[in-house]
Amino acid sequence: MLAARRGQVAKVVRELEVGDIFGLTQIRLRLTEHRKVRFVPSVGRLDRVEVVRGMAGGEDISHPEGPMEGELYDLRHYAPGDPIRFVLWKVFARTRQLVVRSPERALSPIRQTCAYLVAGPADEPAAGAARLAIERGALGSEWVLGADGSHDDATRKDQAVDLLARSATVSGTERGGRGLGEFLRRRSQGGMGRAVVFVPGRPGPWLDAVVNQCAGHDGACGRGGLRGQIEFVVGTDGIERARPRNWLARLALRERKPQLRRQAQTKAPAEDERVETQDRVTTEELAKVVAALSKVGRVVVVDRQAGRVFAGGQLTAMAEDRRRAA
């Protein structure tokens, strides 16, 4: 059984059609089975979701005879005078930015992580990214997950999957993102940590609610209050360029739609084309979401259909593309 969206249902309705090969007669039977079924969000082609880990004071002490610094682990932008052998040429080929390796400081990663899923239009890719982050351990060893539509928090993988499935009931309402502020206040009791918020790639009523609630917090959560920046993971199922403003181009696109729709009806979807096209976003929509969230935290975009992660200069290029289209 293949589901287009995540969720939980109490019954399954099956339709059976029986007819002759000439199409003269046809009988349709509907069978209803009362049973609980859970549909979990698909991870698509994503194989990893990297989130920034906060840092705290380390417990290790450097060797007395060695330098008070660690291995060449940290990364930073190139500065005049840096040795050329420390430049990461693979990163330069991909982003056109010079990045060098630098010694790590005497710091250790924070273990406590607070994650939250915001429900809204086209939120299925964000739910899939949240599931992947939990299953692959990207949130660290100690984490807690919250989601719209539930006042309970999950600390185990099985609880988290149930929480993600139940959040589908909020997707079509105006309550998306309303519970984020309460979640941050509830989880900020105790030690220091970080916060990762999974959001849809299409703007909606949830966007203003999230920005307003995060503006009053300093950042990540844990035992000791909120500190640092909140990290936002924006989920998409493909990114389309914004349509041109020229009236002639818009007319051509409108005339082409019925033909594409007829082709879609006659061609059955392939096995690897299960991702819903309704979750695709344009560069204009994505740039609006990124611009709003960048004011209160760090933003990373994941494309579930292509299995890619966008950050830094790539998001800046999307914003410039939006300005040119306008």
Side-chain angles (χ1 to χ4, degrees):
M1 181 182 296
L2 246 217
R5 286 189 54 80
R6 70 191 187 280
Q8 293 179 334
V9 296
K11 63 180 180 179
V12 178
V13 180
R14 298 182 176 90
E15 288 189 354
L16 305 178
E17 292 185 358
V18 182
D20 63 291
I21 60 175
F22 302 103
L24 300 177
T25 59
Q26 186 178 27
I27 300 176
R28 177 177 298 179
L29 304 176
R30 176 173 293 187
L31 304 177
T32 302
E33 180 182 1
H34 293 276
R35 58 177 299 185
K36 293 183 178 179
V37 180
R38 183 187 68 183
F39 298 98
V40 298
S42 172
V43 300
R45 296 181 181 176
L46 289 174
D47 57 355
R48 63 185 179 88
V49 175
E50 298 292 344
V51 294
V52 174
R53 297 194 176 188
M55 305 299 289
E59 300 176 355
D60 297 336
I61 301 177
S62 60
H63 193 275
E65 298 181 358
M68 298 182 63
E69 58 186 18
E71 298 292 336
L72 296 176
Y73 178 79
D74 290 345
L75 304 178
R76 62 175 174 82
H77 288 283
Y78 175 84
D82 289 335
I84 296 298
R85 67 177 183 274
F86 292 159
V87 175
L88 297 177
W89 296 110
K90 291 183 178 180
V91 177
F92 175 78
R94 187 171 62 252
T95 64
R96 313 306 296 176
Q97 296 182 4
L98 285 175
V99 180
V100 297
R101 293 174 294 180
S102 62
E104 64 180 349
R105 299 180 181 180
L107 301 175
S108 61
I110 295 172
R111 298 180 179 274
Q112 180 71 22
T113 302
C114 297
Y116 191 88
L117 173 64
V118 174
D123 63 349
E124 201 66 24
R131 176 194 168 194
L132 181 66
I134 292 170
E135 293 180 346
R136 297 294 177 87
L139 301 181
S141 58
E142 297 181 9
W143 53 268
V144 59
L145 175 72
D148 284 339
S150 177
H151 297 287
D152 301 327
D153 301 332
T155 56
R156 302 196 313 266
K157 292 183 180 180
D158 56 339
Q159 295 176 342
V161 173
D162 285 335
L163 206 65
L164 295 176
R166 292 201 303 267
S167 64
T169 59
V170 189
S171 300
T173 65
E174 301 290 330
R175 296 182 290 119
R178 304 293 179 183
L180 177 59
E182 177 60 29
F183 172 78
L184 293 177
R185 287 189 294 269
R186 184 169 66 250
R187 303 309 308 184
S188 63
Q189 306 296 327
M192 178 179 172
R194 56 181 176 146
V196 182
V197 183
F198 297 87
V199 300
R202 182 172 300 158
W206 65 268
L207 185 57
D208 292 335
V210 169
V211 172
N212 294 335
Q213 292 176 88
C214 291
H217 294 282
D218 294 331
C221 60
R223 303 176 182 170
L226 300 171
R227 302 215 172 95
Q229 270 193 329
I230 297 179
E231 181 174 1
F232 296 96
V233 179
V234 184
T236 67
D237 268 345
I239 305 172
E240 299 178 347
R241 287 186 174 273
R243 295 177 179 176
R245 300 292 183 178
N246 185 280
W247 66 270
L248 184 59
R250 292 200 305 268
L251 181 62
L253 290 175
R254 280 200 301 267
E255 292 177 349
R256 191 180 177 186
K257 281 183 179 179
Q259 181 181 0
L260 294 177
R261 190 179 299 112
R262 287 193 298 269
Q263 293 177 358
Q265 291 175 354
T266 57
K267 179 182 178 181
E271 187 70 17
D272 58 348
E273 296 177 352
R274 299 176 180 177
V275 178
E276 287 292 315
T277 57
Q278 64 181 1
D279 289 343
R280 289 177 178 267
V281 298
T282 63
T283 53
E284 186 175 0
E285 293 174 328
L286 187 59
K288 181 178 180 180
V289 173
V290 171
L293 298 179
S294 298
K295 300 177 182 178
V296 292
R298 181 179 179 273
V299 181
V300 174
V301 176
V302 296
D303 188 345
R304 185 178 63 166
Q305 186 179 25
R308 298 182 59 188
V309 180
F310 302 92
Q314 294 170 317
L315 298 182
T316 304
M318 292 180 186
E320 295 177 355
D321 183 67
R322 177 198 177 192
R323 287 194 293 268
R324 287 194 297 267

